């Protein structure tokens, strides 16, 4: 996914990422919070999904890094589907989510000056591996479950990518006139 951002410079975006990359990059999720005791790690929560009598919420564990000018990376090291306890209204996450699915993802955001010199081009790339582990006794065939989940995962990725672009645009719009590029 690519988008042009008029009025920004590589230097401005580099500074914004150094200052508060998590707020910008996690704009596409419902909320995020730091993982206790792990610098650069965050839990990101997607909106709750209700399916019949069940309510679930996915929590990602992400590692954020700014390896060089013009780039920010997010490694998604864990995808944890939680189920809401209807009595306590709290979400209980899996102790070991890898028992039911293997999922790893990498999101790379790069920016470079536009050839016109009037902004930057933002390029966002997401690579995801997803393998669901269905128990032998599960009443629905694995292929059906994957067919249902795949569009949801794809929509979540696109929504998150749009959220990142929106977060950068909002940051640029909110910058004081003397701080803008």
């Amino acid at each position: 996914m690519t988008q042009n951002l008029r009025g920004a410079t590589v230097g401005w975006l580099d500074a914004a990422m150094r200052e508060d990359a998590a707020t910008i990059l996690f704009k596409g999720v419902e909320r995020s919070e730091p993982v206790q005791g792990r610098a650069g790690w965050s839990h990101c929560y997607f909106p709750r999904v209700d399916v019949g009598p069940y309510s679930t919420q996915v929590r990602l564990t992400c590692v954020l890094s700014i390896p060089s000018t013009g780039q920010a990376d997010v490694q998604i090291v864990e995808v944890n589907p939680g189920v809401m306890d209807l009595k306590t209204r709290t979400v209980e996450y899996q102790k070991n989510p890898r028992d039911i699915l293997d999922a790893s993802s990498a999101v790379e955001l790069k920016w470079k000056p536009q050839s016109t010199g009037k902004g930057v081009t933002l390029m966002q790339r997401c690579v995801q591996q997803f393998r669901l582990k269905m128990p032998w006794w599960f009443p629905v065939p694995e292929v059906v479950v994957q067919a249902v989940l795949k569009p949801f995962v794809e929509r979540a990725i696109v929504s998150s990518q749009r959220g990142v672009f929106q977060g950068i645009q909002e940051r640029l719009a909110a910058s004081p006139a003397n701080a803008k590029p």
Side-chain angles (χ1 to χ4, degrees):
M1 186 176 275
T2 302
Q3 183 172 350
N4 291 324
L5 184 61
R6 290 182 49 84
T9 65
V10 169
W12 175 83
L13 198 46
D14 284 344
M17 289 295 176
R18 281 191 305 273
E19 181 183 313
D20 193 13
T23 299
I24 296 168
L25 296 175
F26 299 147
K27 180 75 176 173
V29 298
E30 181 181 75
R31 65 185 171 90
S32 67
E33 61 192 24
V35 174
Q36 297 266 335
R38 301 200 93 163
W41 288 53
S42 296
H43 283 142
C44 296
Y45 299 86
F46 281 93
R48 210 174 67 227
V49 175
D50 297 320
V51 180
Y54 301 100
S55 185
T56 64
Q57 183 173 43
V58 174
R59 180 183 73 194
L60 306 179
T61 303
C62 304
V63 181
L64 176 61
S65 64
I66 312 294
S68 64
T69 185
Q71 183 173 338
D73 296 327
V74 178
Q75 281 294 126
I76 300 167
V77 296
E78 182 180 85
V79 177
N80 195 333
V83 177
M84 178 172 280
D85 180 321
L86 296 176
K87 291 179 185 171
T88 64
R89 305 294 297 164
T90 60
V91 179
E92 296 177 13
Y93 291 95
Q94 309 299 309
K95 289 186 183 5
N96 185 1
R98 287 181 178 87
D99 287 343
I100 57 173
L101 67 98
D102 279 329
S104 63
S105 300
V107 179
E108 179 182 76
L109 177 67
K110 290 186 175 186
W111 50 95
K112 66 179 183 179
Q114 291 179 352
S115 58
T116 62
K118 296 186 179 190
V120 296
T121 298
L122 301 168
M123 298 152 291
Q124 203 174 161
R125 185 174 75 101
C126 179
V127 177
Q128 182 178 48
Q129 295 180 7
F130 186 85
R131 184 172 165 264
L132 193 59
K133 299 176 183 177
M134 301 297 296
W136 64 269
W137 51 263
F138 198 72
V140 179
E142 185 172 341
V143 69
V144 173
V145 174
Q146 287 179 343
V148 170
L149 286 178
K150 185 177 180 184
F152 169 76
V153 171
E154 289 172 349
R155 280 194 305 270
I157 290 169
V158 169
S159 175
S160 294
Q161 288 179 314
R162 287 184 182 140
V164 169
F165 289 144
Q166 180 184 350
I168 293 170
Q169 290 170 330
E170 288 173 1
R171 175 65 64 104
L172 181 61
S175 295
N178 63 351
K180 285 187 180 177

